Amino acid sequence: MEELKAQKQRIKKDTDEQDIESRELRKMLGTAMKDAATLQKAITAREAEVDQKRADRHSLLKTCKMEDIKLAMLSGSMDDIGDEERTAPNTQSSEVGSSLAAMDIDSISSQGAQMLYERESRLEIDYSSLDDKLKEIDNDTEVQNMAKELNANVSKLQTTLQRINAPNMKALEKLEGVEARLQETVSAFEKSRDTARKAKADFEKVKKDRYDRFTDAFEHVSTVIDDIYKKLSNNTSAQAFLGTENAEEPYLEGISYNCIAPGKRYRPMDNLSGGEKTVAALALLFAIHSYQPAPFFVLDEIDAALDNTNISRVANYITEQTRTSFQCIVISLKEEFYSHADALVGIYCEAGGDCTVSRILTHDLTQYPATTSGASPTKVRAH
């Protein structure tokens, strides 16, 4: 008996536990059903929202097609945009067929709409040409604001188009005239450009010829001037050298000329004595002459600033050169110079009557022996 009571207690206890578990399960089931209903409502709302977006997309695509607005497509074409009447499913009922033909996209059958949206979903629009500002829009509010802004711009442009006057039918004739004048201008321009090109080529040729001639003369003079200066100074320690201030176009700027007199340090040309400057100038003169020798020289009192020693050196150099290179007349008042000449020509004035008359005296020195210094007769003319 006691055993049965204990068994009864266990069974009752198990039954109570199962009742408690059953109530918990029913409560959980109720909660799950509520959640399922909520989710179902959310899914239904999302599906409705998706359908609305599809309908809006279809409406926009159809508007573009009707207004002949070409859209850039990555896949598909404008011909793939659906037509409600063509998309609606066929049926045997004439009543249903006539009603479908009159319905808009909002009232077509669910099956036809799904077919329409399915075909349009395969259209992929190319947005690469859009501004970055438009690509960054990601919510409905911004889309609406941007749409208002774009519509305002379109309205403004349409207003501008309406204010534009009617096309000028004579514009084509004017265009032909302008094109003819343009062609004439182009021809004149090409001719001028050819002339300029030829002038530039001629200029470059002359420039090169100028540079070559100058460089040839300068290199010759700069090479021989040192030897001539040494001979005029009768001293191998004397130095003379030339330099250009502009290496690329030396004839556009100056040429530096410096000399180092025998037994002295380098000094600028302005600091040389009068005699040293004279010898340096004669060295430059004879160096230039050696490039393209002239057959005849006239030198006017080149010995004015020279002492007797330098006069003798210059006279000996001229005497040596007159044997092979040139003839020379020297105007001089110094016996130390004209004593080296082959002949003397003297000019003096003679007063007579109302005017003064110039008279000329000549004397041949070749009949006299050379001076004791060993100087031989020269072809230098002095007077």
Side-chain angles (χ1 to χ4, degrees):
M1 193 68 176
E2 292 296 333
E3 184 180 353
L4 290 173
K5 288 180 180 181
Q7 185 177 4
K8 179 181 178 182
Q9 290 295 331
R10 287 195 301 271
I11 293 173
K12 183 178 180 181
K13 182 179 180 181
D14 293 338
T15 301
D16 293 339
E17 291 177 355
Q18 290 177 357
D19 288 340
I20 294 171
E21 184 178 356
S22 177
R23 284 195 298 272
E24 291 294 333
L25 289 174
R26 282 196 296 270
K27 185 185 295 185
M28 292 175 60
L29 178 61
T31 303
M33 291 179 66
K34 289 180 181 180
D35 293 340
T38 302
L39 291 175
Q40 184 62 40
K41 289 180 180 180
I43 292 173
T44 302
R46 288 296 183 183
E47 289 178 347
E49 184 178 353
V50 170
D51 290 340
Q52 184 62 41
K53 294 295 184 182
R54 288 179 175 178
D56 293 342
R57 185 173 188 265
H58 169 77
S59 179
L60 289 174
L61 291 174
K62 185 175 179 182
T63 300
C64 292
K65 183 176 182 180
M66 293 177 63
E67 295 184 4
D68 198 21
I69 299 175
K70 303 299 182 182
L71 298 177
M73 298 284 188
L74 293 175
S75 63
S77 64
M78 297 295 291
D79 296 334
D80 296 331
I81 298 176
D83 186 352
E84 294 86 356
E85 296 181 1
R86 179 166 54 85
T87 308
N90 295 327
T91 178
Q92 299 296 327
S93 173
S94 59
E95 180 180 356
V96 176
S98 60
S99 63
L100 286 174
M103 285 192 300
D104 190 72
I105 186 60
D106 294 330
S107 59
I108 62 175
S109 68
S110 175
Q111 182 180 0
Q114 292 300 323
M115 294 173 59
L116 181 64
Y117 297 154
E118 179 66 23
R119 186 169 69 253
E120 290 181 350
S121 66
R122 291 191 290 270
L123 297 177
E124 186 176 358
I125 300 175
D126 183 8
Y127 296 101
S128 60
S129 60
L130 290 180
D131 294 338
D132 294 338
K133 180 180 177 182
L134 297 176
K135 293 179 182 179
E136 293 174 355
I137 298 176
D138 58 357
N139 59 64
D140 294 339
T141 303
E142 293 180 354
V143 171
Q144 292 176 1
N145 293 335
M146 183 55 66
K148 291 180 181 179
E149 181 180 347
L150 293 176
N151 288 330
N153 292 336
V154 171
S155 299
K156 183 178 180 181
L157 293 175
Q158 289 177 344
T159 302
T160 303
L161 288 175
Q162 291 174 359
R163 289 200 300 265
I164 296 176
N165 296 329
N168 185 1
M169 303 308 295
K170 294 183 178 181
L172 184 60
E173 297 179 3
K174 293 183 178 180
L175 176 62
E176 293 175 353
V178 171
E179 289 178 344
R181 291 195 298 273
L182 175 62
Q183 186 62 37
E184 294 176 359
T185 303
V186 171
S187 300
F189 170 75
E190 292 296 335
K191 184 177 180 180
S192 299
R193 185 164 64 179
D194 292 340
T195 302
R197 189 183 296 111
K198 184 178 181 299
K200 183 178 180 181
D202 293 341
F203 172 79
E204 293 296 334
K205 181 180 178 181
V206 172
K207 180 179 178 181
K208 183 179 182 303
D209 184 53
R210 179 186 186 186
Y211 177 83
D212 293 341
R213 291 189 180 189
F214 181 90
T215 303
D216 184 57
F218 179 80
E219 289 179 352
H220 173 83
V221 172
S222 61
T223 300
V224 302
I225 191 170
D226 186 62
D227 292 336
I228 294 176
Y229 186 66
K230 284 179 170 59
K231 290 179 181 179
L232 288 173
S233 301
N234 195 25
N235 194 313
T236 57
S237 65
Q239 297 181 36
F241 42 88
L242 297 175
T244 59
E245 297 179 1
N246 187 336
E248 294 182 358
E249 294 184 274
Y251 40 78
L252 295 182
E253 298 184 22
I255 294 176
S256 61
Y257 176 35
N258 295 283
C259 294
I260 300 178
K264 296 184 179 181
R265 295 180 299 176
Y266 168 79
R267 288 186 297 174
M269 187 66 72
D270 293 339
N271 295 338
L272 298 179
S273 65
E276 291 170 343
K277 290 180 180 179
T278 300
V279 175
L282 290 173
L284 179 61
L285 174 66
F286 291 132
I288 295 174
H289 171 264
S290 67
Y291 176 65
Q292 290 183 345
F296 197 80
F297 255 119
V298 177
L299 302 175
D300 186 8
E301 295 191 19
I302 60 174
D303 55 353
L306 298 177
D307 56 18
N308 291 336
T309 301
N310 283 325
I311 288 176
S312 177
R313 292 171 181 173
V314 172
N316 288 333
Y317 177 82
I318 294 176
T319 300
E320 179 182 352
Q321 294 299 313
T322 55
R323 293 192 180 102
T324 57
S325 300
F326 56 81
Q327 300 181 45
C328 183
I329 292 179
V330 179
I331 300 173
S332 176
L333 299 176
K334 294 186 177 182
E335 180 181 354
E336 293 80 2
F337 196 98
Y338 62 70
S339 62
H340 293 74
D342 290 343
L344 295 178
V345 178
I347 307 295
Y348 69 96
C349 62
E350 182 180 85
D354 296 333
C355 60
T356 300
V357 179
S358 295
R359 300 296 182 183
I360 300 175
L361 295 176
T362 60
H363 190 66
D364 185 8
L365 299 182
T366 58
Q367 58 184 324
Y368 300 99
T371 61
T372 56
S373 62
S376 59
T378 69
K379 295 185 181 298
V380 177
R381 304 290 188 264
H383 96 278

